[in-house]
């Protein structure tokens, strides 16, 4: 397929913030008296803040009332925000900026589709907000991935049909969201984990490898001009 729009997840695709999310949740678990295993990180990727908390509590077999849940989520977020406060363009994942710039130079439209309510702050820290035609984040859309809303809203904002969109995602929930929205899903990471993706590459630095999977990009064709008949 030839895509006219590229939709990007943020955490784990453009910037390596996943490590900070997980470190902050590990502190939550420690406070509640249990430990998160390395493999638990995958379950928390792409999942909205409160859903992630629910997963953490389930792992620990801990039940809390709503007020405590709100407090735990706020405390986790405060730790996370502190960790990413000093983010700079040097924290972008290899190839991310080049990939965005190359696609835009071809006329391909770009959108961010992230569950994170911290996305605008991160985009500003990285200085890349102007590389996106649309930014859809966790404060715009409430339905969490694997619900396709975040990507459907992105496609709509770009004026491109879902079938003409490629989504870049590092999370199982995000790949599912893309597929549920009728889009092509490119996994970023391990093919053994992202089994439902249409193709998997190790990072945006390897985006050219997609051509061998039949995935290419081109600017949206100009609207057809009506022929004037004599
Ligand atoms: C991203 C991350 C998730 C995180 C979610 C919400 O999708 O991959 O791990 O839980 O955003 O982030 P927030 O910054 O709003 O807590
Ligand atoms: Mg992600």
């Amino acid at each position: 397929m030839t895509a006219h729009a590229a939709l990007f997840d943020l955490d784990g695709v453009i910037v390596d913030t996943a490590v900070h999310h997980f470190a902050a949740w590990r502190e939550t678990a420690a406070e509640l008296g249990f430990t998160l295993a390395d493999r638990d990180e995958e379950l928390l990727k792409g999942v909205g803040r409160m859903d992630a908390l629910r997963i953490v509590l389930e792992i620990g077999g801990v039940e809390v009332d709503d007020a405590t849940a709100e407090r735990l989520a706020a405390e986790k977020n405060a730790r996370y925000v502190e960790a990413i406060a000093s983010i700079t363009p040097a924290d972008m994942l290899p190839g991310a900026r080049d990939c965005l710039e190359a696609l835009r130079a071809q006329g391909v439209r770009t959108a961010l589709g992230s569950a994170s309510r911290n996305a605008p702050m991160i985009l500003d820290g990285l200085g890349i907000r102007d590389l996106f035609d649309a930014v859809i984040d966790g404060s715009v859309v409430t339905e969490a991935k694997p619900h396709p809303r975040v990507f459907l809203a992105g496609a709509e904002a770009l004026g491109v049909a879902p079938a003409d969109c490629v989504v870049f995602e590092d999370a199982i929930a995000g790949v599912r969201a893309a597929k549920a929205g009728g889009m092509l899903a490119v996994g970023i990471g391990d093919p053994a984990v992202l089994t439902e993706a249409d193709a998997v590459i190790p990072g945006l630095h390897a985006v050219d490898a997609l051509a061998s999977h039949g995935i290419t990009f081109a600017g949206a064709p100009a609207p057809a001009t009506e022929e004037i008949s004599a």
Side-chain angles (χ1 to χ4, degrees):
M1 64 95 75
T2 297
H4 299 312
L7 282 65
F8 295 82
D9 173 48
L10 177 65
D11 298 301
V13 171
I14 292 185
V15 64
D16 192 14
T17 43
V19 52
H20 300 302
H21 275 297
F22 193 50
W25 284 127
R26 276 197 147 142
E27 282 190 48
T28 304
E31 207 177 284
L32 297 169
F34 62 96
T35 352
L36 294 176
D38 289 349
R39 65 172 181 278
D40 294 331
E41 182 174 0
E42 219 52 57
L43 304 172
L44 302 172
K45 284 186 185 171
V47 180
R49 196 179 303 165
M50 291 312 286
D51 285 338
L53 174 65
R54 272 186 279 275
I55 292 169
V56 169
L57 294 175
E58 207 170 293
I59 291 168
V62 174
E63 279 181 30
V64 299
D65 57 30
D66 289 354
T68 308
E70 288 293 339
R71 176 180 62 79
L72 291 170
E75 287 172 357
K76 178 268 173 179
N77 190 55
R79 283 192 291 275
Y80 175 69
V81 167
E82 198 185 330
I84 60 164
S86 51
I87 210 160
T88 73
D91 294 305
M92 279 179 80
L93 284 164
R97 174 179 280 278
D98 288 350
C99 173
L100 280 159
E101 286 177 346
L103 289 173
R104 292 177 64 82
Q106 290 175 67
V108 177
R109 312 212 78 195
T110 55
L112 190 85
S114 169
S116 176
R117 284 184 258 166
N118 292 302
M121 183 180 102
I122 294 172
L123 291 185
D124 287 341
L126 299 174
I128 57 166
R129 203 189 262 257
D130 59 345
L131 292 180
F132 297 95
D133 298 303
V135 173
I136 313 291
D137 66 39
S139 60
V140 179
V141 158
T142 48
E143 296 100 328
K145 299 171 190 176
H147 194 289
R149 179 77 64 221
V150 68
F151 294 131
L152 290 174
E156 199 183 331
L158 298 181
V160 176
D164 294 328
C165 294
V166 165
V167 170
F168 292 95
E169 256 294 348
D170 71 316
I172 296 168
V175 166
R176 287 194 179 140
K179 300 302 296 170
M183 303 177 192
L184 196 130
V186 172
I188 300 289
D190 184 351
V193 174
L194 303 170
T195 53
E196 293 168 38
D198 295 290
V200 180
I201 52 175
L204 292 176
H205 59 280
V207 75
D208 289 346
L210 292 177
S212 65
H213 293 271
I215 303 166
T216 54
F217 296 88
T225 46
E226 268 182 45
E227 274 189 31
I228 302 158
S229 48

